Amino acid sequence: MEMVPTSRRRLMALGFATAGIAGSLVAACGGDAAPAPPAKAEPTKAPAAPAAPTAAATAAAPTKAPEPTAAPVKFPETLAVTTINNFATNDPAFLKAADEFMADRKVKIEFIPGNNQEVITKIAGGTPPDVFRRDAAALHGLVAEGAMRDLNPFLAKTKDVQVSDFYPHLIKGQTYQGKLVALPEDFQPAPLLFYNTQIFEKAGEKPPTPDTTWADFLEQAKRLTKGTGDVADVYGYSFPKWTYEQFVYNHGGQTVDSVENPTKCLLDSAQAVQGLEFMVDLQHKHRVMPSPQVMTGANIPSENNWFLGGRLATLNGGTWFTGTLNTAKDNVPWAMTLAPKGQDGKAHYPTGGAGWAIPTASKNADAAWAWMSWQFGPAGWKSWVAKRDPKTFWLPALKSIAADEAKRLEQFYPNASLVVKSADSIWFRPGGAKWEKANAEILGPALTSLHENKAPVKATIQEAVTRINAVLAGG
């Protein structure tokens, strides 16, 4: 897998005019300077011959014709948007910002939560939404079938939103064969290490920092794990299972040969296998994190709930978890920093991210873009963040606004700005319909077997990689 150099759920020098709505262009009208007056005749001499007229005197340059005014975007009676996210519950400020757009343009937009399958069904049935929200790790089949418009031509003629405004890895994550299939919405990596400050204080341990190595962190996690028996009272660490790839990258391995167009799975390399073995050892050898069997036995199936219950010293995750912590009934004392550096001495952080797409079959593409480029451009994002709960940690895909937001959030979450800095060490999961199929049918079950320690890592992964490569090759 190619690492993204810059770099699951919901920029400074930017103009804040409304994006995507073509306005009147002011034409520059030009005229030459007035001609100099003719010279006066001297009284004692014969009248001098009149000076040769200048070009300006003989004919003034014609006034430049005004440039034509761009035709206004025509909106349908109702623009249909499938959000695949219940913003009314999860982030109502999104809808309030959209209300501002609708009131200003005197247009109507209908927001329907929906889901991925509904979008697929509507497109297949010839009744697509005008816009829909797409997670970068989903709907690869639609992308491969060309069911989503290339947004590059729209961006090219939009002054207020530029490709350079966005984090490059987010643009890359929404690009397929050179086509930008969705306009990035958010910057939501999972580089954070949440930690229970009370557990650290009681154990006399200093919190980790972004420079902490995994070797040192493992030893600390061992010390923080307390209790005897099959289920510990407190575990030192846990992570969301979808971020398993971090251990592959931490050991210098790769997942595939190309994240945009994978043709070969590389999880059977020595480095990748070593990383996956380390992941399994955290659960079954070192026992610093609850294994699937432990979670089932304790009837606590989510690593988040272990942390919320005060039984987990550290938890790897993303900024969205701050919302859960803020609304938790039990006031868990917590803080956050970045996850440890990998065994290769470098930081590797997983990410996802949503984007907004226009179906190829949409009959209202210009209107769809007019709204999208405003809502997810500088003007829309500024309206959005101004209307939301000030503690919401959901950064825009726009670099400068994300940096400003992270800085503002420092008052609630010290180290919030570290999230922006983590962009230099971000990696995206592989894309493509074939990888999506292989991941669901082959790799997912294999990883479940590894997490449960039911089979040797090397043999399990080698068998899975052989099958995955057959899928990627079209077999």
Side-chain angles (χ1 to χ4, degrees):
M1 174 179 177
E2 297 175 350
M3 296 299 295
V4 181
T6 67
S7 37
R8 129 179 170 10
R9 311 211 171 324
R10 259 148 291 282
L11 289 174
M12 291 269 183
L14 296 174
F16 299 110
T18 300
I21 305 295
S24 298
L25 301 176
V26 179
C29 299
D32 292 324
K40 294 181 181 179
E42 296 185 19
T44 56
K45 297 182 180 180
T54 63
T58 55
T63 302
K64 185 178 180 181
E67 295 181 17
T69 301
V73 173
K74 183 179 181 180
F75 269 75
E77 182 177 342
T78 301
L79 191 72
V81 177
T82 301
T83 62
I84 312 184
N85 178 24
N86 191 342
F87 281 100
T89 299
N90 299 331
D91 194 353
F94 168 87
L95 299 176
K96 292 178 181 178
D99 286 342
E100 182 180 321
F101 177 88
M102 288 187 278
D104 184 58
R105 306 306 190 282
K106 296 179 175 57
V107 298
K108 181 181 179 181
I109 303 176
E110 182 180 15
F111 295 97
I112 305 169
N115 56 55
N116 288 341
Q117 187 55 52
E118 287 181 16
V119 170
I120 294 171
T121 301
K122 287 182 178 180
I123 290 177
T127 57
D130 294 306
V131 183
F132 65 92
R133 190 173 189 255
R134 181 236 177 185
D135 187 277
L139 299 175
H140 292 295
L142 291 182
V143 175
E145 294 167 3
M148 295 154 72
R149 287 179 183 260
D150 180 10
L151 301 182
N152 283 314
F154 291 95
L155 268 174
K157 61 182 181 182
T158 303
K159 294 182 178 180
D160 301 320
V161 184
Q162 304 294 323
V163 171
S164 58
D165 296 340
F166 296 86
Y167 285 102
H169 74 275
L170 297 179
I171 291 292
K172 190 173 184 179
Q174 297 286 3
T175 297
Y176 176 72
Q177 295 183 347
K179 297 179 180 179
L180 181 64
V181 297
L183 188 67
E185 171 196 320
D186 55 330
F187 173 48
Q188 297 301 322
L192 293 174
L193 187 71
F194 297 95
Y195 60 92
N196 185 311
T197 56
Q198 188 175 67
I199 292 177
F200 272 79
E201 289 170 1
K202 286 184 176 181
E205 295 281 347
K206 293 183 178 180
T209 72
D211 293 322
T212 299
T213 65
W214 250 108
D216 291 339
F217 180 68
L218 174 58
E219 294 305 312
Q220 185 176 60
K222 291 178 181 178
R223 296 192 298 269
L224 291 167
T225 300
K226 305 292 183 181
T228 58
D230 293 335
V231 180
D233 297 327
V234 175
Y235 286 91
Y237 170 74
S238 191
F239 70 96
K241 300 302 186 290
W242 67 271
T243 64
Y244 76 92
E245 291 147 300
Q246 63 178 299
F247 300 103
V248 173
Y249 301 131
N250 283 346
H251 285 77
Q254 301 290 327
T255 306
V256 294
D257 55 349
S258 168
V259 66
E260 295 89 358
N261 185 31
T263 62
K264 185 177 181 181
C265 180
L266 304 177
L267 286 173
D268 57 348
S269 71
Q271 298 94 329
V273 169
Q274 187 178 7
L276 293 173
E277 288 175 336
F278 182 81
M279 176 192 74
V280 173
D281 287 346
L282 288 172
Q283 303 171 73
H284 298 282
K285 178 182 178 180
H286 306 301
R287 300 182 67 185
V288 298
M289 66 175 283
S291 66
Q293 293 91 327
V294 166
M295 288 183 167
T296 299
N299 197 27
I300 308 176
S302 165
E303 59 274 354
N304 289 355
N305 288 336
W306 284 85
F307 190 87
L308 293 170
R311 298 186 63 182
L312 196 60
T314 64
L315 173 63
N316 198 180
T319 62
W320 54 87
F321 188 50
T322 58
T324 301
L325 290 168
N326 290 336
T327 58
K329 293 181 180 179
D330 298 324
N331 189 18
V332 181
W334 64 277
M336 64 188 191
T337 184
L338 293 182
K341 288 184 177 180
Q343 282 80 352
D344 63 354
K346 302 176 183 179
H348 305 281
Y349 305 123
T351 194
W356 294 78
I358 302 175
T360 302
S362 172
K363 298 178 180 179
N364 303 298
D366 288 337
W369 176 255
W371 170 71
M372 281 170 50
S373 59
W374 183 89
Q375 185 86 21
F376 308 108
W381 259 113
K382 278 186 167 291
S383 174
W384 187 352
V385 298
K387 293 175 171 58
R388 64 172 25 157
D389 184 323
K391 289 187 177 182
T392 301
F393 204 154
W394 191 266
L395 298 179
L398 301 173
K399 291 182 293 186
S400 70
I401 298 181
D404 289 344
E405 262 297 275
K407 185 176 181 180
R408 183 190 65 79
L409 287 164
E410 288 275 349
Q411 62 183 307
F412 306 113
Y413 315 117
N415 289 334
S417 292
L418 290 177
V419 174
V420 174
K421 295 180 181 179
S422 75
D424 293 334
S425 305
I426 289 297
W427 50 264
F428 248 98
R429 304 183 72 183
K434 292 180 180 179
W435 176 261
E436 189 175 33
K437 174 182 174 65
N439 186 58
E441 298 178 1
I442 303 170
L443 184 55
L447 289 170
T448 297
S449 179
L450 295 187
H451 285 303
E452 296 176 352
N453 200 28
K454 288 184 175 180
V457 172
K458 187 174 182 179
T460 300
I461 288 300
Q462 285 178 336
E463 190 272 341
V465 167
T466 298
R467 294 172 60 200
I468 290 170
N469 284 337
V471 172
L472 295 179

